[in-house]
mmCIF file of all heavy atoms in Angstrom:
data_model
loop_
_atom_site.group_PDB
_atom_site.id
_atom_site.type_symbol
_atom_site.label_atom_id
_atom_site.label_comp_id
_atom_site.label_asym_id
_atom_site.label_seq_id
_atom_site.Cartn_x
_atom_site.Cartn_y
_atom_site.Cartn_z
ATOM 1 N N SER Z 5 4.495 -1.502 -17.504
ATOM 2 C CA SER Z 5 5.713 -0.706 -17.352
ATOM 3 C C SER Z 5 5.782 -0.164 -15.928
ATOM 4 O O SER Z 5 4.826 -0.274 -15.164
ATOM 5 C CB SER Z 5 5.727 0.453 -18.354
ATOM 6 O OG SER Z 5 4.631 1.323 -18.137
ATOM 7 N N GLY Z 14 10.519 1.791 -0.106
ATOM 8 C CA GLY Z 14 10.258 2.705 -1.207
ATOM 9 C C GLY Z 14 8.962 2.410 -1.930
ATOM 10 O O GLY Z 14 8.194 1.530 -1.529
ATOM 11 N N GLY Z 24 -6.414 -2.042 -28.385
ATOM 12 C CA GLY Z 24 -7.109 -3.005 -29.229
ATOM 13 C C GLY Z 24 -8.486 -3.334 -28.699
ATOM 14 O O GLY Z 24 -9.278 -2.451 -28.401
ATOM 15 N N ILE Z 26 -9.309 -4.565 -25.865
ATOM 16 C CA ILE Z 26 -9.438 -4.421 -24.414
ATOM 17 C C ILE Z 26 -9.849 -2.992 -24.098
ATOM 18 O O ILE Z 26 -9.055 -2.059 -24.211
ATOM 19 C CB ILE Z 26 -8.126 -4.769 -23.707
ATOM 20 C CG1 ILE Z 26 -7.685 -6.171 -24.098
ATOM 21 C CG2 ILE Z 26 -8.300 -4.670 -22.195
ATOM 22 C CD1 ILE Z 26 -6.291 -6.530 -23.643
ATOM 23 N N ASN Z 29 -14.928 -2.475 -20.795
ATOM 24 C CA ASN Z 29 -15.685 -3.611 -20.289
ATOM 25 C C ASN Z 29 -14.805 -4.761 -19.815
ATOM 26 O O ASN Z 29 -15.265 -5.883 -19.662
ATOM 27 C CB ASN Z 29 -16.680 -4.108 -21.327
ATOM 28 C CG ASN Z 29 -15.992 -4.569 -22.599
ATOM 29 O OD1 ASN Z 29 -14.992 -3.990 -23.019
ATOM 30 N ND2 ASN Z 29 -16.524 -5.604 -23.223
ATOM 31 N N ALA Z 31 -12.101 -6.295 -16.932
ATOM 32 C CA ALA Z 31 -11.399 -6.253 -15.658
ATOM 33 C C ALA Z 31 -9.913 -6.422 -15.951
ATOM 34 O O ALA Z 31 -9.542 -7.155 -16.871
ATOM 35 C CB ALA Z 31 -11.875 -7.378 -14.754
ATOM 36 N N PHE Z 35 -0.581 -9.773 -11.587
ATOM 37 C CA PHE Z 35 -0.069 -11.018 -11.058
ATOM 38 C C PHE Z 35 1.450 -10.897 -10.955
ATOM 39 O O PHE Z 35 2.040 -10.070 -11.627
ATOM 40 C CB PHE Z 35 -0.439 -12.184 -11.993
ATOM 41 C CG PHE Z 35 -1.923 -12.384 -12.135
ATOM 42 C CD1 PHE Z 35 -2.678 -11.568 -12.977
ATOM 43 C CD2 PHE Z 35 -2.575 -13.388 -11.441
ATOM 44 C CE1 PHE Z 35 -4.041 -11.740 -13.110
ATOM 45 C CE2 PHE Z 35 -3.943 -13.570 -11.564
ATOM 46 C CZ PHE Z 35 -4.675 -12.747 -12.398
ATOM 47 N N ASP Z 50 -12.372 -4.556 -11.333
ATOM 48 C CA ASP Z 50 -13.344 -4.989 -12.324
ATOM 49 C C ASP Z 50 -13.614 -3.881 -13.341
ATOM 50 O O ASP Z 50 -13.068 -2.778 -13.260
ATOM 51 C CB ASP Z 50 -14.625 -5.460 -11.638
ATOM 52 C CG ASP Z 50 -15.485 -4.336 -11.105
ATOM 53 O OD1 ASP Z 50 -14.983 -3.190 -10.967
ATOM 54 O OD2 ASP Z 50 -16.673 -4.579 -10.821
ATOM 55 N N GLY Z 54 -15.492 -0.389 -9.557
ATOM 56 C CA GLY Z 54 -16.068 -0.365 -8.223
ATOM 57 C C GLY Z 54 -15.657 -1.512 -7.327
ATOM 58 O O GLY Z 54 -15.839 -1.457 -6.115
ATOM 59 N N PHE Z 66 -0.506 -1.654 -1.256
ATOM 60 C CA PHE Z 66 -0.715 -1.496 -2.691
ATOM 61 C C PHE Z 66 -2.128 -0.962 -2.938
ATOM 62 O O PHE Z 66 -3.057 -1.252 -2.192
ATOM 63 C CB PHE Z 66 -0.582 -2.837 -3.403
ATOM 64 C CG PHE Z 66 0.811 -3.398 -3.455
ATOM 65 C CD1 PHE Z 66 1.839 -2.879 -2.698
ATOM 66 C CD2 PHE Z 66 1.081 -4.492 -4.276
ATOM 67 C CE1 PHE Z 66 3.111 -3.413 -2.745
ATOM 68 C CE2 PHE Z 66 2.345 -5.037 -4.337
ATOM 69 C CZ PHE Z 66 3.369 -4.496 -3.574
ATOM 70 N N MET Z 81 2.460 0.926 -5.474
ATOM 71 C CA MET Z 81 3.068 0.027 -4.494
ATOM 72 C C MET Z 81 3.914 0.845 -3.519
ATOM 73 O O MET Z 81 4.902 1.456 -3.929
ATOM 74 C CB MET Z 81 3.931 -1.024 -5.200
ATOM 75 C CG MET Z 81 3.192 -1.789 -6.282
ATOM 76 S SD MET Z 81 4.140 -3.167 -6.969
ATOM 77 C CE MET Z 81 5.509 -2.286 -7.717
ATOM 78 N N ASN Z 82 3.487 0.863 -2.283
ATOM 79 C CA ASN Z 82 4.197 1.595 -1.233
ATOM 80 C C ASN Z 82 4.772 0.630 -0.203
ATOM 81 O O ASN Z 82 4.374 -0.539 -0.142
ATOM 82 C CB ASN Z 82 3.248 2.577 -0.545
ATOM 83 C CG ASN Z 82 2.681 3.611 -1.490
ATOM 84 O OD1 ASN Z 82 3.346 4.044 -2.436
ATOM 85 N ND2 ASN Z 82 1.450 4.043 -1.232
ATOM 86 N N PRO Z 86 11.443 -6.713 0.369
ATOM 87 C CA PRO Z 86 12.197 -7.624 -0.499
ATOM 88 C C PRO Z 86 11.327 -8.772 -1.022
ATOM 89 O O PRO Z 86 11.533 -9.239 -2.148
ATOM 90 C CB PRO Z 86 13.314 -8.126 0.415
ATOM 91 C CG PRO Z 86 13.551 -6.972 1.335
ATOM 92 C CD PRO Z 86 12.193 -6.400 1.600
ATOM 93 N N CYS Z 94 0.380 -7.910 -16.099
ATOM 94 C CA CYS Z 94 -1.018 -7.526 -16.076
ATOM 95 C C CYS Z 94 -1.779 -8.397 -17.079
ATOM 96 O O CYS Z 94 -1.217 -8.910 -18.042
ATOM 97 C CB CYS Z 94 -1.224 -6.041 -16.352
ATOM 98 S SG CYS Z 94 -0.670 -5.421 -17.951
ATOM 99 N N ALA Z 95 -3.052 -8.582 -16.785
ATOM 100 C CA ALA Z 95 -3.898 -9.443 -17.590
ATOM 101 C C ALA Z 95 -5.326 -8.894 -17.572
ATOM 102 O O ALA Z 95 -5.702 -8.181 -16.637
ATOM 103 C CB ALA Z 95 -3.857 -10.870 -17.051
ATOM 104 N N ALA Z 96 -6.097 -9.252 -18.575
ATOM 105 C CA ALA Z 96 -7.444 -8.704 -18.700
ATOM 106 C C ALA Z 96 -8.455 -9.792 -18.987
ATOM 107 O O ALA Z 96 -8.146 -10.815 -19.623
ATOM 108 C CB ALA Z 96 -7.477 -7.650 -19.817
ATOM 109 N N PRO Z 98 -13.011 -10.089 -19.599
ATOM 110 C CA PRO Z 98 -14.258 -9.315 -19.667
ATOM 111 C C PRO Z 98 -14.960 -9.218 -18.315
ATOM 112 O O PRO Z 98 -15.090 -10.215 -17.601
ATOM 113 C CB PRO Z 98 -15.101 -10.096 -20.672
ATOM 114 C CG PRO Z 98 -14.107 -10.784 -21.534
ATOM 115 C CD PRO Z 98 -12.983 -11.149 -20.607
#
Side-chain angles (χ1 to χ4, degrees):
S5 61
I26 304 170
N29 61 324
F35 298 79
D50 75 343
F66 290 12
M81 306 187 296
N82 299 326
C94 61

